[in-house]
Amino acid sequence: MARRVFAPLMAGLLATSPVSAQSLVMAFSGSPTSADPHYHTFSPNIALDSHSYNTLVDMDPKSRPIASLAESWRLVSPDTWEFKLRPGVKFHNGDDFTAEDVVYTLARVPTVLNSPGSFSIYTKSVVSSEVVDPHTIRLKTNGLYPLLPIDLTLVFMIPRRLGPNPLNEDFNNGRNAIGTGPYRMTSYKPGDRVELERFDGFWGKKPHWANVSVRMIPNDGARTASLLAGDVQFIEFVPTSDVARLGTDKRVALSQTDSLRLVFLWLNRSHQVAPPFVTGPNGEALTTNPLNDLRVRKALSMAINRNAIVERVMEGAAIPSNQFLAPGVSGHVADLAPVPFDIAAARALLAEAGYPKGFRITLHGPNDRYVNDGKIVQAIGQMWTRIGVETKVDAMTWTTYISRASKQEFSAFLLGWGISSGEASNPLRALVHTYDAASGWGSVNRGRYSNPQLDGMIKAAMAVADDKMREAALIDAERVAMEDVALIPIHIQKNIWAMRAGLTHTPRADERTLAMDLIPAP
Amino acid sequence: MSATVQREITPFRRFAADYASNKIAVVALIGVVIIVFLALFANLIAPQNPYDLAQLDIMDGRLPPGAKSPAGWTYWLGTDDQGRDMFSGILYGLRISLGVGFGSAATAGVIGSALGLIAAYAGGWVETAIMRLVDLQLSFPAILVALMILAFLGKGVMNVMLALVIVEWARYARTARAAALVERRREYVEAAECLALPQWRVLFRHILPNCMPPLIVIGAIQVASAILLEATLSFLGLGVPITEPSLGLLIANGYQYMLSGKYWISFYPGLALLVTIVCLNLVADQLRDVLNPRLQR
């Protein structure tokens, strides 16, 4: 009797509840440091900002540039880009978006006070701007700069109505939080949650969810548990140890894609003799640096069973890699042969290089930065020991680790690099170009690899205006870097999201978790 | 001569008989002896050296208990994520845990007792200085002090021991002073002083032996608490290096696999830690009952 009364009642409640159908609660693993879109170049900030703001050029899920507030762009002369702006775009306050707002935004970005990571690295190539008409703007660079459209994918447009020096606090309290994006921010509680409300005047595709609540849940276990309990419907950065279990759980669905984050080893090249933490097979000091010998570098790379690391340590949440970028991304070298896993060949190469009995080395790594980092270095320690390179493993907390790694205190060490531009010039210029503090090239070349031939190829490629021809030139440079084992690539991480069953997500290579990408399954 | 022999044996016999009156305490003592034996001879008993990366294979990672190793023997307690045999890992882990526990408790005991005795015997500003330092030390939670010391010194077994000694000495000092204050007013101390014996001799040959019972009890409790503290520090990733896991780090390694059903990586080291701590505490409890004259039946 009771059931007969309750069943229709329950069904009626579920059907008429607008909240459950139109509201989304999702969890970030990191907390945005501000709601100001120009405050901090930090992934959680950028993911949050992408809901409320737009950029001239956007990235598609595979990190290829696509039109956003700019409908088209072209080089009108070697040092001038022209952007045609989309007409009819409205800000959340009703103002029209015009070229003057672009000028205002570009001027505001470098003036943000106390920025812990300034977005001015994406605007500094612009030396002057010229408004041709309300929907056409020309940006002048210092010489040819082919990457300007890609740099502008991280510059969020704000209205000039905000006036001179808009305050960071006013973005956080919502007064200045005015963009052109599909959602309007209604409340921001640092480290806890952000509430978003759909903006009906949005120029693009109307997103499914009318209200979005973003929770910050940094603890991996707590995030997974919240999803299983139904407190949140969508989580990012699913821990690899939970992937197998969630895959068999009927209540949830997973989505994943190759990321742009490469995990790799540096070999310290800044020493001619006796690099730190490297000794002979009996602990004696060396009169050479074995890491300067290409055969030794090849042997160390061949000794690593990348498939075993991906399968056993990463539990499938990565793809083995012999280069910077994943298949399908601009700059991926399709015909670069995979590094063979071959213990005998590695031993033979070591013997040929004059180390028949191997040598001793300490492999350093962080234990709290990248997915499973401490386990990866232990696994590589096992593998190197098998070819006669007796390896000690030392993993430490990130803050200690990175300051020592940046001072070249280690000889072999693990790092990761997120290639945010989605093309090859970023890793070539930042990682393997000779370290040059003045130009900023090789700025994170912590192994101090240096190859003048490669430097020349990178410079030449950056002077090519045509995208296709530049990609070809960059691929040639990548091939040189990889054949010279400038660094030892291990794998490219996969980004994994989990959601309640019945939802469909379009995963993004750039790690951004966006409510717009999640819809009910058809 | 015969009188001395008799005096030394009889109290021990009485002590042994008192101790044996509690059967659970006897079982616990046997347990402690077995655990110490396993830890001491870990390298002979364990089928694998879990600290030698060359003997580990990542392909054998996370095998369930009872799986066969490529070399033919059985992983009776399974393997962890690096392919480390859990049984071998636990034996070697016990060695680190007991070594750190006994080593730090003994070192702290020597330092703390000496300072406590000196404080009681010297009195005046020396006593005030030592005892205020003890108060200061005891007013901070042990785990907080240990975390600060390790954050400053870095990882490593010796650093963990040092941190534990710094954390623990104060309890011995306080106990030793309390006991010595009572003893130093006794007639035998006056007699020794009348003989003009040097002060260190009165202190360490006459007063100290009579202060031993409470110090032994404190020592037994401190061994257990040192093992627990080391496990906590290693669990938090501040103790031993990741390639040489102690019990705490073994538990931490398996912790993230608990949700996915791979219970053995955390469960067995946890069980080993539990049994060790319970046995040590039972022994310490019985020692306290037997050595405390007020509880003597």
Side-chain angles (χ1 to χ4, degrees), chain A residues 62-105:
Chain A
K62 279 261 167 222
S63 281
R64 287 172 299 223
I66 52 169
S68 182
L69 292 180
E71 284 186 315
S72 64
W73 51 93
R74 68 191 173 99
L75 270 177
V76 288
S77 70
D79 64 351
T80 308
W81 281 93
E82 183 181 272
F83 293 83
K84 284 277 181 206
L85 305 184
R86 189 178 297 276
V89 174
K90 295 245 183 255
F91 280 103
H92 296 161
N93 64 356
D95 286 2
D96 285 315
F97 167 74
T98 65
E100 291 295 343
D101 298 306
V102 181
V103 176
Y104 171 77
T105 300

Side-chain angles (χ1 to χ4, degrees), chain A residues 257-506:
Chain A
T257 189
D258 301 341
S259 74
L260 300 169
R261 189 177 292 282
L262 175 74
V263 171
F264 61 94
L265 299 183
W266 276 122
L267 299 175
N268 188 344
R269 304 292 302 281
S270 62
H271 296 260
Q272 284 313 306
V273 293
F277 298 106
V278 178
T279 60
N282 305 312
E284 71 275 21
L286 288 175
T287 52
T288 54
N289 180 355
L291 307 176
N292 282 343
D293 191 314
L294 175 60
R295 291 165 297 193
V296 172
R297 298 201 297 276
K298 278 194 167 148
L300 291 176
S301 184
M302 283 168 109
I304 298 172
N305 185 348
R306 290 170 175 79
N307 289 326
I309 293 178
V310 165
E311 187 194 321
R312 305 301 308 184
V313 180
M314 298 298 290
E315 308 201 38
I319 52 169
S321 187
N322 59 338
Q323 56 180 302
F324 295 122
L325 291 151
V329 181
S330 161
H332 173 77
V333 191
D335 58 343
L336 197 62
V339 183
F341 166 56
D342 191 335
I343 292 179
R347 279 181 181 275
L349 274 171
L350 277 183
E352 197 186 314
Y355 303 96
K357 291 198 179 121
F359 52 90
R360 290 189 191 174
I361 196 165
T362 302
L363 175 62
H364 287 85
N367 58 9
D368 53 5
R369 170 74 180 181
Y370 307 110
V371 179
N372 296 329
D373 41 14
K375 295 179 189 172
I376 297 168
V377 285
Q378 280 188 81
I380 294 172
Q382 293 181 11
M383 294 164 184
W384 281 1
T385 305
R386 292 220 159 77
I387 63 160
V389 177
E390 203 184 312
T391 308
K392 272 183 65 174
V393 170
D394 192 358
M396 61 192 79
T397 188
W398 172 252
T399 41
T400 318
Y401 173 77
I402 191 60
S403 72
R404 294 183 65 189
S406 306
K407 286 183 259 174
Q408 283 73 49
E409 286 185 24
F410 308 136
S411 268
F413 52 111
L414 178 121
L415 272 171
W417 183 247
I419 301 162
S420 57
S421 68
E423 50 78 57
S425 80
N426 167 308
L428 284 168
R429 284 187 298 161
L431 291 172
V432 295
H433 188 280
T434 304
Y435 176 73
D436 180 1
S439 72
W441 287 30
S443 58
V444 287
N445 182 348
R446 297 195 166 93
R448 293 293 185 264
Y449 171 79
S450 176
N451 179 345
Q453 185 209 350
L454 179 65
D455 294 352
M457 292 177 81
I458 299 172
K459 278 229 161 55
M462 291 310 289
V464 179
D466 180 79
D467 286 347
K468 285 271 163 263
M469 282 165 67
R470 189 176 61 254
E471 184 181 348
L474 290 170
I475 282 177
D476 286 342
E478 279 181 84
R479 209 175 262 126
V480 169
M482 291 306 154
E483 273 158 17
D484 200 24
V485 196
L487 46 79
I488 300 181
I490 309 290
H491 59 238
I492 293 169
Q493 287 179 6
K494 284 187 185 175
N495 298 330
I496 307 181
W497 288 265
M499 62 224 80
R500 299 294 293 184
L503 299 172
T504 308
H505 176 237
T506 312

Side-chain angles (χ1 to χ4, degrees), chain B residues 129-203:
Chain B
I130 292 175
M131 294 326 288
R132 290 302 82 75
L133 196 59
V134 167
D135 290 342
L136 189 72
Q137 177 78 66
L138 289 178
S139 62
F140 286 105
I143 180 74
L144 188 68
V145 178
L147 280 175
M148 286 195 302
I149 295 168
L150 283 177
F152 182 69
L153 293 177
K155 283 186 190 184
V157 176
M158 288 316 285
N159 288 348
V160 172
M161 292 222 347
L162 186 62
L164 292 179
V165 169
I166 292 173
V167 165
E168 287 187 339
W169 70 272
R171 275 183 208 289
Y172 292 97
R174 182 169 273 185
T175 311
R177 171 176 166 274
L181 277 181
V182 176
E183 294 300 325
R184 73 161 296 192
R185 285 171 187 51
R186 294 274 167 91
E187 290 84 352
Y188 72 90
V189 176
E190 267 179 41
E193 280 171 344
C194 287
L195 289 173
L197 290 176
Q199 289 190 343
W200 66 265
R201 195 179 160 92
V202 176
L203 198 52

Side-chain angles (χ1 to χ4, degrees), chain A residues 245 312 375 378 382 386, chain B residues 56 58 61-62 256 259:
Chain A
R245 175 168 175 268
R312 305 301 308 184
K375 295 179 189 172
Q378 280 188 81
Q382 293 181 11
R386 292 220 159 77
Chain B
L56 307 183
I58 191 92
R62 304 195 302 276
Q256 57 170 303
L259 269 179

